[in-house]
Amino acid sequence: MLIEDYALIGDMQSAALIGRDGSIDWLCLPRFDSPACFAKLVGDESNGFWRLAPTGQETATRRQYVKDTLVLETVWETPTGTVKVIDFMPPRHANPDLVRIVEGVSGTVEMTAEIRIRFDYGRIIPWVRRFDGALHAIGGPDSVWIHTPVQLKGSGYRHTGTFTVSAGERRPFVFTWHPSHQPQPDRIDPVEELAETKLIWEEWVSQCGYTGPWRDEVVRSLITLKALTYRPTGGIVAAPTTSLPEHIGGVRNWDYRFCWLRDAAMTLDALTDSGYIDEAGAWRDWLLRAVAGRPEDLQVMYGVAGERRLPELTLDWLSGYEDSTPVRIGNGAADQLQLDVYGEVVNCLYQARKKGLPPDDHAWSIVRRLMDFLERSWDQPDEGLWEVRGPRRHFVHSKVMAWVAADRMVRIVEELGRTGPVERWRAMRDRIHAEVCDKGFDAERGTFTQSYGSRELDAALLLIPIVGFLPPEDPRVAGTIDAIERELMTDGFVLRYPIAESNDVDGLPGAEGAFLACSFWLAEALALVGRKDEALELFERLLALRNDVGLLAEEYDPVEGRQLGNFPQAFTHIHLIRTAQALS
């Protein structure tokens, strides 16, 4: 399966990926960052999957989400009839459930089910028995129950079954996880849960305030972002997967099942701009819990409940997606210094307050403490937006976002009535601005550069007019856009920065695809500087990359014509929404 051959379902605590072949190849329970019980996505069939498809059929005819929901319908047309598989994860009760309903549309179709449950990322083969009319799999801390009227037979550490379904008939499967030390969970009614799940998503979408020409595209991206929210705490993961490669066969494989402050803040910007204020309040509460403590201990990412220790490990028994190894869990970038996150956090809270989020004195005191640290540290080198594994540098984007933090603190005082050392923040803002324009601008080429003293470019420089560091009409903005179009464009898409042996900025071997968010930045920047026709053309080209159910990964390989990186990627969908809003 290509990365874009997958669709997403989830219950706002975890998520599953389902291929065009009807196979669930990735599912972590009970949380996004829990060990997977289906890990074929980054291994092979022996690492767990659950396929449900007409006998002998390889690929579905078509599929779509039920409008304005996260309920997936996969349609198979066969010589003997047509059948539909409905996949969803209902809003969680006591335990996570995954429901698959096979529904006959016309004629009669023979179906085959095959399930291989493997706990701990495909490493543990559970003990499976029949009990009380169900299959019960148990291994260590994990326990799964499968309820279905279909007879499943065990052989070779897997369970299979064939059955027929005719027009108007339904055959449900309910997969329920729970801790193995707890008693058997209550059964759910799959048909009732289907109706309730549709209703919940439809009611949420009905609050959307976007009315522009790309309504369907924006709504699908909003649903995707909501699906990546961990409802119990308000945290937002960057993606539901780990180790989908940025280059096939390469080592740029990272675990994205955590809450980056940057990604989460930008997600909240997109949601609040679309009318969703409650999510901003929940995320603010999560943030205050996660960052509580000394401001110098702020991390760039946390676990979904605010965990700080995210040790990076490799799973050597997994072969990787298309042999792209290592497969990693955890993320060593959690310990990096990335100064830009302060700007994203302060800007997010400022924007949410402007859009109606009630004030919170505790939040203001925490933000002020973070600013105290930034005032002392903004002039230090850091690892920057892209989490480089090479030496720290004075990244221009990091300085620009430190300027954003100071600017938004000033605005919070001036516009929202808060109190604080506003003169000090103004002075900090002015000093950063002057330094960036002096040390981060290449006057000979007429462009800002990736870092002080460098001649390399960085797509993050496109954010300079978007965040208001310089007005769109400033010639330095136009020069930077022109330079990025000349030097970072590949087949019509934008790279993050040059990848070459002569450029050791990220400290990693190998190449990567075009980073999709960067191309959305270019479209938004082009619109800001008055090149709207070009912006629209680029935006439509980006929308055409979405898969058949409207999802995008982190990157795109324009040579091979395929998506790359973890999937679906919040950062990409954030900037699809923001660009649509800007162009509307």
Side-chain angles (χ1 to χ4, degrees):
M1 288 282 115
L2 297 176
I3 290 171
E4 58 264 38
D5 285 333
Y6 288 96
L8 174 80
I9 60 171
D11 64 357
M12 291 169 282
Q13 294 191 47
S14 186
L17 292 188
I18 305 173
R20 290 177 187 262
D21 61 350
S23 179
I24 299 176
D25 291 345
W26 183 251
L27 174 63
C28 300
L29 292 172
R31 306 193 330 179
F32 291 108
D33 57 348
S34 298
C37 54
F38 298 134
K40 179 185 173 185
L41 180 70
V42 289
D44 56 37
E45 291 188 347
S46 68
N47 302 124
F49 69 96
W50 179 9
R51 186 159 190 256
L52 192 54
T55 304
Q57 296 285 112
E58 295 298 322
T59 305
T61 307
R62 62 184 180 278
R63 59 185 182 169
Q64 64 279 320
Y65 287 110
V66 176
K67 184 174 176 62
D68 293 347
T69 76
L70 201 63
V71 175
L72 181 70
E73 294 184 338
T74 303
V75 177
W76 303 76
E77 296 176 353
T78 77
T80 63
T82 300
V83 68
K84 177 166 61 179
V85 179
I86 304 168
D87 289 308
F88 65 100
M89 293 179 71
R92 192 168 299 188
H93 302 289
N95 300 286
D97 299 292
L98 191 156
V99 179
R100 314 192 77 179
I101 300 174
V102 182
E103 183 177 283
V105 177
S106 67
T108 299
V109 179
E110 182 183 82
M111 300 288 293
T112 296
E114 179 177 358
I115 184 167
R116 300 189 188 188
I117 303 169
R118 300 291 186 268
F119 297 131
D120 193 24
Y121 300 102
R123 194 173 192 182
I124 296 175
I125 300 175
W127 181 266
V128 182
R129 61 174 180 154
R130 298 186 189 279
F131 182 82
D132 196 22
L135 285 181
H136 180 215
I138 190 168
D142 299 292
S143 176
V144 162
W145 294 83
I146 300 175
H147 294 277
T148 179
V150 174
Q151 183 69 28
L152 297 173
K153 298 180 180 180
S155 175
Y157 302 109
R158 62 176 183 163
H159 283 76
T160 60
T162 59
F163 59 99
T164 59
V165 61
S166 299
E169 295 180 340
R170 283 180 166 178
R171 300 286 186 273
F173 295 75
V174 178
F175 178 103
T176 304
W177 179 96
H178 73 116
S180 60
H181 65 277
Q182 293 183 356
Q184 179 179 357
D186 293 334
R187 294 181 61 173
I188 63 169
D189 184 312
V191 176
E192 289 182 3
E193 293 296 333
L194 174 60
E196 180 68 13
T197 302
K198 288 179 181 178
L199 182 62
I200 287 172
W201 281 108
E202 289 165 354
E203 288 181 345
W204 186 79
V205 169
S206 70
Q207 304 169 43
C208 178
Y210 176 80
T211 58
W214 299 284
R215 190 263 182 197
D216 289 347
E217 294 85 346
V218 167
V219 164
R220 180 50 50 195
S221 290
L222 287 168
I223 290 173
T224 303
L225 295 181
K226 180 66 171 175
L228 299 180
T229 300
Y230 187 67
R231 185 168 56 179
T233 66
I236 301 169
V237 299
T241 57
T242 181
S243 301
L244 292 181
E246 298 172 15
H247 178 69
I248 299 298
V251 301
R252 297 170 183 264
N253 317 317
W254 313 110
D255 192 347
Y256 276 16
R257 299 170 299 154
F258 306 113
C259 304
W260 271 256
L261 294 187
R262 174 191 310 108
D263 297 48
M266 290 183 173
T267 298
L268 264 297
D269 276 347
L271 288 169
T272 54
D273 283 346
S274 302
Y276 294 99
I277 302 301
D278 289 347
E279 285 74 9
W283 181 78
R284 183 175 66 183
D285 292 343
W286 173 86
L287 174 71
L288 298 180
R289 294 190 299 269
V291 307
R294 299 189 309 166
E296 56 265 37
D297 295 332
L298 180 79
Q299 295 185 183
V300 299
M301 76 181 82
Y302 297 86
V304 294
E307 296 89 349
R308 299 189 179 205
R309 294 179 61 243
L310 309 174
E312 188 171 294
L313 308 171
T314 60
L315 306 184
D316 296 334
W317 64 88
L318 291 172
S319 58
Y321 177 85
E322 294 191 18
D323 298 320
S324 302
T325 55
V327 174
R328 295 180 172 94
I329 59 170
N331 200 306
D335 298 324
Q336 289 189 352
L337 176 65
Q338 298 175 24
L339 294 170
D340 67 292
V341 298
Y342 294 86
E344 274 112 12
V345 167
V346 176
N347 180 65
C348 171
L349 295 175
Y350 163 73
Q351 298 291 350
R353 283 279 289 110
K354 292 278 285 185
K355 295 180 181 71
L357 184 67
D360 183 281
D361 291 341
H362 180 48
W364 179 241
S365 64
I366 291 284
V367 170
R368 284 193 56 175
R369 291 185 64 194
L370 295 179
M371 278 302 296
D372 289 342
F373 173 75
L374 187 60
E375 284 183 79
R376 301 191 303 269
S377 307
W378 71 264
D379 58 353
Q380 301 300 307
D382 73 339
E383 276 91 3
L385 166 72
W386 305 125
E387 297 171 0
V388 300
R389 302 288 172 116
R392 289 182 176 179
R393 287 170 166 78
H394 289 283
F395 287 103
V396 170
H397 173 260
S398 295
K399 310 301 185 190
V400 168
M401 294 311 296
W403 175 91
V404 167
D407 178 73
R408 301 319 189 251
M409 292 297 278
V410 171
R411 293 190 189 193
I412 290 171
V413 171
E414 294 178 343
E415 300 172 14
L416 301 176
R418 286 292 184 179
T419 58
V422 67
E423 292 302 329
R424 207 169 73 212
W425 293 333
R426 285 197 190 100
M428 173 185 171
R429 179 178 65 179
D430 293 344
R431 183 181 169 195
I432 296 173
H433 200 281
E435 182 178 292
V436 169
C437 292
D438 177 40
K439 297 182 178 180
F441 185 74
D442 184 338
E444 178 184 340
R445 295 157 65 211
T447 181
F448 286 94
T449 59
Q450 184 176 56
S451 59
Y452 291 175
S454 168
R455 288 186 60 83
E456 303 292 354
L457 297 178
D458 190 317
L461 301 170
L462 292 165
L463 294 170
I464 285 174
I466 294 172
V467 301
F469 183 83
L470 286 176
E473 60 272 15
D474 191 295
R476 291 169 291 186
V477 169
T480 300
I481 292 173
D482 291 343
I484 287 172
E485 288 183 298
R486 285 195 310 270
E487 299 182 32
L488 291 185
M489 293 284 283
T490 175
D491 295 295
F493 302 98
V494 183
L495 299 173
R496 292 190 293 177
Y497 47 80
I499 300 291
E501 292 184 7
S502 60
N503 181 29
D504 64 347
V505 65
D506 64 13
L508 293 167
E512 66 176 17
F515 203 81
L516 290 171
C518 299
S519 296
F520 283 114
W521 291 344
L522 177 58
E524 187 172 355
L526 289 170
L528 282 174
V529 300
R531 298 166 58 183
K532 191 167 183 179
D533 288 345
E534 295 168 79
L536 285 168
E537 189 275 332
L538 175 56
F539 185 55
E540 294 289 353
R541 189 161 72 247
L542 288 164
L543 291 180
L545 302 183
R546 299 179 312 138
N547 73 357
D548 58 319
V549 289
L551 301 181
L552 287 166
E554 182 180 36
E555 299 183 4
Y556 180 73
D557 183 342
V559 177
E560 297 295 330
R562 60 180 300 185
Q563 296 189 32
L564 296 172
N566 283 304
F567 175 90
Q569 176 76 4
F571 208 55
T572 305
H573 285 278
I574 289 164
H575 293 290
L576 184 159
I577 296 166
R578 290 176 62 99
T579 306
Q581 290 166 338
L583 292 174
S584 298

